Amino acid sequence: MKEYVMALDQGTTSSRCILFDKKGNIRAKAQKEYTQHYPKPGWVEHDPKEIWSSQYAVMAEAMALLSEDETIASIGITNQRETAIVWEKETGQPVYNAIVWQCRRTAETIDRLKETEPELYNYIIEKTGLIPDAYFSASKIAWILDHVEGARERAQRGELLFGTVDTWLIYNLTKGKVHVTDYTNASRTMLFDIHTLTWDTRIAEYFKIPMQMLPQVKPSSFVYGYANLGALGEHIPIAGAAGDQQAALFGQCGFRKGDAKNTYGTGCFLLMNTGTEAVSSKSGLLTTIAASCDSPDNRSGDVEYALEGSVFVAGAAIQWLRDGIRLIENAPQTQQMCESVEDTKGVYLVPAFAGLGAPYWNPYARGMMVGMTSGCKREHFVRATLESIAYQTCDLLAAMEKDAGLSLTQVKVDGGASANDFLMQFQADILDSCVLRPKCIETTALGAAYLAGLAVGYWKDKQEIKENWQLAAEFSPCMEQPERQVRKKGWAKAVRAALFWAEDEE
Ligand code: ADP
């Protein structure tokens, strides 16, 4: 029998299933979009049953592509993080829709926490590594318990269970036998002490979340239980789970302290492995648990940590060029346009459309285009937009290097906009570091597969996995230092202008 590892990639807009072979090649793949519910402005929900049914459908579709002598060695899960689901222990029926990470309905709860409980606010930062926000699961669970009739009492009686999407999928895959999550997903709930690796009773009490509804927490590479899927197969080990960004870092073989990956999607997600030390940030970055497993680098089996930062507007700025101000027809065309001019002619765009995140943290900052002269053409605007993605990443990485006391020599990249050679070269130039783009850009699913395969011996160790990582393109810095400094100075000035614009609002 030929064996594969199955990755279930449960994303915000679609459920996917990818089967990988030993070399990390894709044997089969299926994807299904599912419904987004927007009951009110700023609210986002998913139907947990549709999450499960779409995931099951793509599993069946991918398995159908296998022949009779091919089978599945284990299943790994990677998922949209922070999204909260509450269901009945007895029946497996959700009591409410999944409240999605993007949903802002509990923003006021967090504002109140900040105003009335400053000491607890700081306690949460220290214990969970997160800056309290409606984005994380805790306030979403509390909302469900407050708004679904009888839910709070039922939870107290032990009749309801909470889970992030990994937990929900494992629960369904095991037909209700296993209620478990992994460290990386737990670390995004805002209820988990990332230092002691236990649920924090004080935070749970504040949100009135009964401890018995929280899942058991296990390593990311671990046999949680077995999937019994009838015609699709019986007794398949479910052996890996990690939140999407942590899975991507693992899929990029970011195993060692100082390894970093940046995903260029709608926004950018930058994660840097900080080894077994949980580095607390002085620049507003998040401290989170990285996916890890026993290895010669980490024999103790201790968990590993990462610093995480995000750029709110990255690929979204390119979409804005296309759909908003209609300077371009499609995203790939920007590469040629940018390369057709030597520079931006002194133009900078700060795409602070929704404020500025780390390391500036100013919600009132707004988009700014500065430095125009009459010689500016469309191409200069487009180039300034792409360059802004690289500058924002550079600011985040500088903050990470400072927090962690590490100096980076290379960054691995993935995500839609990493296909743009101009952007990647400019990124290398501005960072003064090499930018490495792998052949397999399905790094998130691959990370989940690796975690699941390692737990059952499909792959021997991380070294074997590293040999699978293949370079598609390497971008080395070729900008002279004085030029780099001039450009970065210009960017810093443009950011100051965007912050100055916000001054009266604070
Ligand atoms: P997400 O998972 O956030 O939807 P993807 O990883 O699919 O994002 O990437 C999509 C983003 O990448 C879009 O914002 C799009 O504008 C951008 N993008 C896709 N291809 C290119 C390209 N060749 N050059 C620049 N940007 C691109």
Side-chain angles (χ1 to χ4, degrees):
M1 286 295 241
K2 205 157 182 258
E3 289 192 312
Y4 301 92
V5 175
M6 174 186 277
L8 304 181
D9 181 356
Q10 209 299 312
T12 310
T13 54
S14 73
S15 296
R16 302 181 335 130
C17 175
I18 305 184
L19 308 183
F20 290 98
D21 70 10
K22 271 214 162 163
K23 292 273 167 223
N25 297 317
I26 295 173
R27 167 66 184 90
K29 187 170 160 178
Q31 174 163 1
K32 198 171 162 57
E33 288 198 7
Y34 63 94
T35 322
Q36 308 288 315
H37 299 272
Y38 305 105
K40 288 188 189 180
W43 290 32
V44 191
E45 297 179 0
H46 294 154
D47 176 354
K49 290 193 143 179
E50 198 186 350
I51 288 180
W52 167 240
S53 63
S54 59
Q55 197 64 69
Y56 189 86
V58 291
M59 283 168 73
E61 204 180 318
M63 295 278 282
L65 298 169
L66 297 185
S67 48
E68 291 214 330
D69 60 345
E70 294 178 308
T71 181
I72 302 299
S74 67
I75 301 175
I77 294 169
T78 181
N79 53 289
Q80 51 166 319
R81 305 178 297 174
E82 298 102 12
T83 296
I85 307 176
V86 175
W87 66 91
E88 290 179 355
K89 194 176 184 175
E90 272 300 303
T91 64
Q93 283 292 328
V95 301
Y96 191 80
N97 269 346
I99 302 187
V100 178
W101 58 274
Q102 297 149 318
C103 186
R104 303 302 305 166
R105 80 182 64 190
T106 54
E108 276 179 21
T109 313
I110 302 294
D111 288 346
R112 208 173 320 121
L113 163 71
K114 192 173 181 181
E115 273 162 32
T116 60
E117 302 273 353
E119 197 258 329
L120 178 65
Y121 185 86
N122 290 327
Y123 175 91
I124 294 176
I125 298 176
E126 192 192 309
K127 296 290 175 184
T128 68
L130 307 172
I131 298 166
D133 198 279
Y135 183 76
F136 306 110
S137 321
S139 63
K140 300 181 195 291
I141 308 169
W143 190 95
I144 295 176
L145 297 184
D146 281 336
H147 291 82
V148 175
E149 210 187 319
R152 185 80 69 185
E153 297 70 34
R154 295 185 69 196
Q156 264 147 9
R157 289 199 298 270
E159 292 170 19
L160 301 183
L161 299 177
F162 152 74
T164 38
V165 171
D166 54 315
T167 306
W168 172 244
L169 293 179
I170 296 172
Y171 188 84
N172 281 282
L173 285 164
T174 59
K175 301 210 160 49
K177 285 202 188 71
V178 181
H179 183 225
V180 73
T181 189
D182 88 297
Y183 291 136
T184 67
N185 275 294
S187 76
R188 313 298 296 187
T189 57
M190 213 173 87
L191 294 167
F192 194 65
D193 183 331
I194 60 171
H195 311 285
T196 60
L197 305 180
T198 51
W199 296 114
D200 188 280
T201 45
R202 183 170 168 205
I203 307 172
E205 260 168 39
Y206 176 81
F207 288 103
K208 300 202 197 74
I209 298 170
M211 301 302 284
Q212 68 259 40
M213 71 185 298
L214 303 176
Q216 274 197 310
V217 194
K218 299 285 185 194
S220 302
S221 183
F222 185 85
V223 180
Y224 308 108
Y226 295 86
N228 292 315
L229 302 169
L232 292 188
E234 294 293 332
H235 213 65
I236 311 171
I238 307 162
D244 51 10
Q245 298 307 323
Q246 283 94 336
L249 181 63
F250 201 83
Q252 287 271 28
C253 301
F255 301 146
R256 297 171 63 137
K257 193 169 167 171
D259 284 349
K261 72 91 201 172
N262 194 20
T263 301
Y264 296 79
T266 310
C268 281
F269 277 96
L270 184 59
L271 261 77
M272 183 205 268
N273 186 324
T274 60
T276 51
E277 187 194 351
V279 174
S280 59
S281 173
K282 290 181 186 65
S283 344
L285 302 170
L286 304 177
T287 309
T288 198
I289 299 183
S292 62
C293 63
D294 285 342
S295 71
D297 300 337
N298 177 7
R299 285 186 197 286
S300 56
D302 287 345
V303 298
E304 289 167 27
Y305 296 89
L307 277 171
E308 174 172 326
S310 52
V311 170
F312 300 152
V313 179
I318 299 171
Q319 283 163 276
W320 168 76
L321 285 180
R322 189 192 60 192
D323 307 331
I325 57 171
R326 298 201 211 143
L327 281 190
I328 59 167
E329 275 169 20
N330 56 57
Q333 139 196 47
T334 58
Q335 181 172 323
Q336 186 271 326
M337 287 175 87
C338 292
E339 283 166 350
S340 74
V341 288
E342 247 168 44
D343 53 30
T344 64
K345 266 211 179 337
V347 174
Y348 289 89
L349 168 76
V350 184
F353 301 153
L356 279 171
Y360 306 104
W361 286 116
N362 188 319
Y364 304 108
R366 285 295 171 266
M368 185 73 65
M369 195 140 215
V370 292
M372 276 93 70
T373 55
S374 56
C376 285
K377 296 201 192 101
R378 201 157 71 111
E379 285 75 8
H380 299 114
F381 272 68
V382 171
R383 184 164 168 143
T385 308
L386 269 84
E387 288 191 358
S388 77
I389 301 173
Y391 285 122
Q392 293 180 89
T393 298
C394 185
D395 287 343
L396 272 183
L397 259 177
M400 272 185 189
E401 287 181 305
K402 207 162 143 215
D403 282 339
L406 292 166
S407 173
L408 282 187
T409 54
Q410 60 178 50
V411 183
K412 290 174 172 171
V413 298
D414 48 51
S418 74
N420 192 302
D421 287 356
F422 165 77
L423 175 58
M424 295 301 105
Q425 182 56 50
F426 188 76
Q427 186 70 82
D429 285 340
I430 280 302
L431 286 176
D432 198 14
S433 301
C434 285
V435 168
L436 308 178
R437 189 169 65 205
K439 272 197 181 143
C440 178
I441 50 161
E442 298 285 3
T443 49
T444 308
L446 189 57
Y450 283 158
L451 290 163
L454 282 165
V456 298
Y458 182 82
W459 285 288
K460 196 164 53 83
D461 53 24
K462 288 200 249 181
Q463 191 49 41
E464 194 182 351
I465 283 172
K466 268 189 175 165
E467 283 158 23
N468 283 350
W469 194 91
Q470 282 183 26
L471 188 67
E474 175 167 352
F475 302 86
S476 307
C478 53
M479 188 181 272
E480 298 292 335
Q481 179 65 1
E483 191 183 342
R484 180 178 302 115
Q485 272 171 343
V486 169
R487 300 223 187 176
K488 283 169 78 167
K489 223 169 139 186
W491 167 254
K493 221 163 128 182
V495 169
R496 280 204 301 278
L499 292 171
F500 176 72
W501 180 255
E503 254 175 24
D504 293 349
E505 308 283 339
E506 285 179 78

